[in-house]
Amino acid sequence: MDETTTILVKWTGLHDANNAGHIHGGTVMKLCDEAAGLAAMRHARTPAVTAAMDRMAFLHPVRLGEVLTFKARVNAAWHTSMEVGVRVEAENPLTGDLRHTSSAYFTMVAIDERGDPTPVPPCVVETDEERRREREAQLRRANRLGEREQIMDARQQ
Ligand SMILES: CC(C)(COP(=O)(O)OP(=O)(O)OC[C@H]1O[C@@H](n2cnc3c(N)ncnc32)[C@H](O)[C@@H]1OP(=O)(O)O)[C@@H](O)C(=O)NCCC(=O)NCCS
């Protein structure tokens, strides 16, 4: 699954920041989505759309001028969907200080030329770390789909 690893590096500038000199959460989320989409496409070798993103926590503020690194990789693949994990780190390029600022999980769905979901290849997991990631992704998928089902049921009552 290493082959799906995608790294985006963004040197933050004025247009990414609010008046307090902190980087907008939306800027971070957009770049997470881009990194996740690319990792998914590297696995599926088809276009992929974002079906869902799990809740995202911002652990530390990112300051103007810091360098953001987005590291994404596919954790698990099912029939047409994949889970992609993204880790965000912020670096002060003057001091080398590095902080883990966010993590998120995306569900990406491979689509065909009509925009319909299309099957993806299975994941080839080789290491204990990859097996752990896949196992935990299965748990998150069960929670996501369970929640969706409960909401649909509640709407029909
Ligand atoms: C994502 C999308 C293609 C799914 O289409 P759909 O007709 O609902 O397809 P299905 O119900 O057959 O689901 C397809 C897969 O997505 C998964 N999925 C769909 N919605 C999901 C959600 N909210 N959370 C988690 N997984 C989801 C399903 O579990 C299924 O996975 P599997 O095939 O691996 O079992 C469709 O909803 C869509 O186009 N959404 C808009 C995407 C978009 O514009 N994103 C932002 C820009 S990229």
Side-chain angles (χ1 to χ4, degrees):
M1 299 317 297
D2 257 353
E3 286 169 27
T4 68
T5 298
T6 297
I7 297 175
L8 290 185
V9 178
K10 164 82 178 164
W11 188 12
T12 59
L14 270 181
H15 54 283
D16 303 313
N18 61 23
N19 291 339
H22 291 159
I23 302 309
H24 292 295
T27 300
V28 174
M29 286 164 75
K30 177 175 185 290
L31 290 163
C32 281
D33 190 35
E34 278 183 19
L38 195 47
M41 280 193 270
R42 283 179 165 158
H43 180 70
R45 297 298 177 199
T46 68
V49 291
T50 312
M53 186 188 86
D54 289 7
R55 62 182 68 87
M56 182 170 193
F58 296 96
L59 308 175
H60 303 283
V62 179
R63 285 177 285 273
L64 180 63
E66 289 191 312
V67 177
L68 286 171
T69 301
F70 301 81
K71 189 169 182 189
R73 68 183 269 150
V74 173
N75 290 330
W78 295 283
H79 180 51
T80 65
S81 66
M82 297 153 274
E83 185 195 88
V84 183
V86 185
R87 181 186 168 94
V88 187
E89 289 181 344
E91 179 196 350
N92 178 330
L94 299 176
T95 62
D97 175 48
L98 196 66
R99 297 176 329 280
H100 171 212
T101 54
S102 309
S103 288
Y105 297 102
F106 286 77
T107 302
M108 310 298 300
V109 176
I111 53 165
D112 62 19
E113 56 286 345
R114 288 177 307 174
D116 293 331
T118 190
V120 294
C123 278
V124 180
V125 288
E126 289 167 322
T127 65
D128 285 348
E129 180 70 11
E130 287 175 347
R131 274 185 278 277
R132 179 189 63 78
R133 286 197 174 121
E134 192 183 49
R135 210 169 39 241
E136 293 177 2
Q138 296 286 2
L139 290 175
R140 283 187 293 268
R141 172 178 161 94
N143 287 336
R144 274 178 214 123
L145 296 184
E147 186 184 88
R148 193 169 63 148
E149 212 169 292
Q150 280 177 350
I151 289 171
M152 292 310 207
D153 286 350
R155 280 186 191 171
Q156 272 158 21
Q157 281 162 18

